[in-house]
Amino acid sequence: MREQQLQDILRHMPAGVATLQGPELRYGFVNEAMQSVLGSPITEGQSVMEQPGIIPADLLEVMQQVYQRGQPYVAKAYCLPITTAPDTPATQRYYDVALEPVREGGGPVSGLLLFAMDVTGQEEARQRTHELAIETRRLDTRLRVLTETVPQITFTVDAEGTYEYVSPQWYYFTGQPPMTDLNAIWPLLIHPDDRLRVLYQTEAARSAGVGWSYEYRLRRHDGQYRWMLSRALPELHAPDKPVFWHGALTEIHDQRELSEALRRGEAELRFLADSIPELIWTATAEGFIDYYNKYSGEYSGLTGEELGPAGWISLLAPTEQAGAARRWIHSIATGESYEGLYRMRRHDGRYRWHIIRARQLTDARGLRWFGACTDVDDQHRLRQVLQTQYDELARTNRDLDTFVYTASHDLKQPLLNLRGLFDELRRSASFDDPQEAEIITMVDDALHQLELTLQDLAATVQDQRGLSAPAEPLDLRSVTEEVLLGLRTQVQESGAVLELDFEQAPTLTYGRANLRSILHNLLSNALKFAHPERVPHVLLRSIPADSGNPLLIVQDNGRGMVLPEEPALVFQPFTRQHPQIGGAGVGMYLVQRIISSRGGHLEVASVVDEGTTFTIHWFDALTA
């Protein structure tokens, strides 16, 4: 009865139980759990060897050795493939397998008692735990590599303020040996002026269970104190208080010094702006003014708050405010610089002319506008007076030019009449005077000289009116050849040799009429004042100057001239170097005037009976 009860208990146990009898290890009692483990139906008396594959070969070999030696054996988490249905893949299950030799009455081993306890859940949990431990070690290794390769110093502090870990960068930075007591030496490396503050802030943050962020100076290995940024966050283990703080030290010394330099620079610029007698202001990217210098208040009699975000516009004359505001809005929208001339009201109610300028600047702080209102009232009024005087002088000059031109033109007819009367008198009358021929020659010369003078006066007025001719790019060789075409007769009669060299500076931006007049006068004079004993040789050469502007050199081998000893204008109107040669003495004066009126000057070098060299500086360095 008791044996039956025991079998019933064993049959329904969750652990597999089986008895194996004799050296063949034949199945005796097999409970339901063991049937599930073995998979195939098991019959009593069947040997474990008769169904290969149900029990793995290594387990069969261990069973035989336990039977032979009589020593029990336990296999922990032994893996058995379990097939739940035909034609389905086996699943891996883990069992604690116990083999216990059976002896009857202290005799030899007569069989084995087989136990199989399913520990699949525990084994899978153990394997998962092992995998997590490997992954944790891998992540820990990666984290350590990261923390030890970044430029920051990383550290860990516990709730008591004891340093649990510090990265190698701390030792490199401080020069301390690896065996240093961190908790003892670290506070001593903090600058004395910062030490108490740092210790207090750290203690306060740990007591409150919060992180910290502050700056202090830490001594480097060379003895220099460098500014560091210390940041740390607590490791929370809810619901308990934080037990660790993990943080990093970042060197910010250069940034701190730059920030300090910028602060000092801003203070100096603000002082400078307040010292300038102009309205200086800055505005945001949206165009709202956020700063006025001290002079703005002195000029307007208003404070910065009273001026408001668009104060300079409200100070303008009422008729100019709308236009100025529209231009300001356009500049804000497009980024174009702002500039305008407006009347701005002073604190005494008087309006004064100001030039208002503003430019956009983008830096690390973003986009901003910087502007200034410059008082130009005195200059503006003086310019108006000068403009009035200039207009009056220009009108007088035009009247004089008109008078000279009209007078020279109107005198031509009386001159023609005199010429006709004299020719008729010479043809029909005779004088009984031994000096008749000489007198007639003198009268001819006087009439001819008067005719040349009238022509030169008319030409001078015409060239004077062309001084304001617009400049255009001109080819020097082409214009010179046009001039020489008009002088072809003089060139052929004198047999002159003309040499043109414009390779180095072939073009010139100048007024065409002015350039033609200059070249015509220089070339015609070179032919007119040629030396009587040699063939005229004239060289025209254009070269670039050191200032970047071109030069024109005109050199001849003519009669030469006597130059004044004192620096002065070489050529004066109606002044002649060679009275025996016809002319009015206005050509070179006109050349000199054209060149100077366009910002250049004329240099003359000459030797009597050897020749003259003219050097034309088209544009002086200061006026180019």
Side-chain angles (χ1 to χ4, degrees), residues 17-32:
V17 180
T19 59
L20 303 176
Q21 300 172 352
E24 294 84 4
L25 301 178
R26 297 181 182 278
Y27 289 108
F29 173 79
V30 179
N31 70 349
E32 296 176 358

Side-chain angles (χ1 to χ4, degrees), residues 153-194:
I153 299 171
T154 57
F155 60 88
T156 298
V157 180
D158 64 14
E160 302 300 325
T162 303
Y163 285 93
E164 295 287 335
Y165 167 78
V166 66
S167 62
Q169 290 88 332
W170 185 87
Y171 298 100
Y172 302 150
F173 183 87
T174 62
Q176 299 297 317
M179 300 306 294
T180 298
D181 184 353
L182 289 173
N183 299 286
I185 195 64
W186 195 314
L188 300 178
L189 299 178
I190 300 174
H191 194 282
D193 295 342
D194 302 333

Side-chain angles (χ1 to χ4, degrees), residues 476 501-508 540-554 595 600-603 614-621:
L476 286 172
D501 180 10
F502 301 123
E503 296 297 328
Q504 297 185 54
T507 61
L508 173 68
L540 276 78
R541 185 159 57 103
S542 179
I543 60 174
D546 294 338
S547 62
N549 299 317
L551 300 178
L552 179 66
I553 300 174
V554 181
I595 295 173
H601 68 280
L602 177 66
E603 289 183 2
F614 297 92
T615 302
I616 302 175
H617 299 258
W618 297 112
F619 306 103
D620 289 338

Side-chain angles (χ1 to χ4, degrees), residues 187-196 216-219 225:
L188 300 178
L189 299 178
I190 300 174
H191 194 282
D193 295 342
D194 302 333
R195 187 177 303 151
L196 181 61
Y216 67 90
R217 286 162 290 181
L218 186 67
R219 192 173 68 195
Y225 285 96

